[in-house]
Amino acid sequence: FMESTILEMEVDAEGKFLSQPLRCLGKIVRRENTSADTDEKNVAFGVRIVQMNEDDMERWEECMSLIASQSTLNDEATVRKFLSA
């Protein structure tokens, strides 16, 4: 995928944190080769959520609050910044 590509996504598709996946649209904002070997194709993507329905947004906020409460980080804003880095 190239930067600025818009994707239909599922957040937590395996159900590790949520009872059901969250469906949303995401925009690729960063693409990095994570391998020191230039022949290997390990790529990491940074994605910004650009659209989510209201019910999924409520569950997303609950998940962020849960992560923040179980985290050693100080506040939810710090957790959000950490997750978006």
Side-chain angles (χ1 to χ4, degrees):
F1 298 105
M2 296 173 43
E3 286 185 33
S4 298
T5 300
I6 303 292
L7 304 168
E8 287 187 44
M9 302 178 359
E10 284 189 351
V11 176
D12 194 32
E14 296 175 357
K16 292 183 179 183
F17 299 99
L18 301 165
S19 59
Q20 335 172 343
L22 301 175
R23 299 190 193 293
C24 61
L25 292 179
K27 179 179 179 180
I28 296 178
V29 294
R30 183 177 63 244
R31 183 176 188 260
E32 293 180 14
N33 183 358
T34 59
S35 174
D37 180 3
T38 56
D39 293 333
E40 196 170 323
K41 303 281 186 196
N42 287 336
V43 178
F45 295 97
V47 178
R48 174 165 297 158
I49 294 172
V50 295
Q51 183 179 6
M52 183 180 291
N53 74 38
E54 190 174 328
D55 292 338
D56 285 344
M57 180 63 82
E58 187 175 311
R59 291 189 306 125
W60 173 259
E61 295 293 334
E62 289 172 7
C63 183
M64 291 296 101
S65 294
L66 178 64
I67 290 170
S69 70
Q70 294 178 355
S71 173
T72 58
L73 301 173
N74 294 330
D75 61 296
E76 190 170 345
T78 305
V79 172
R80 285 176 191 275
K81 183 176 178 182
F82 174 76
L83 291 175
S84 67

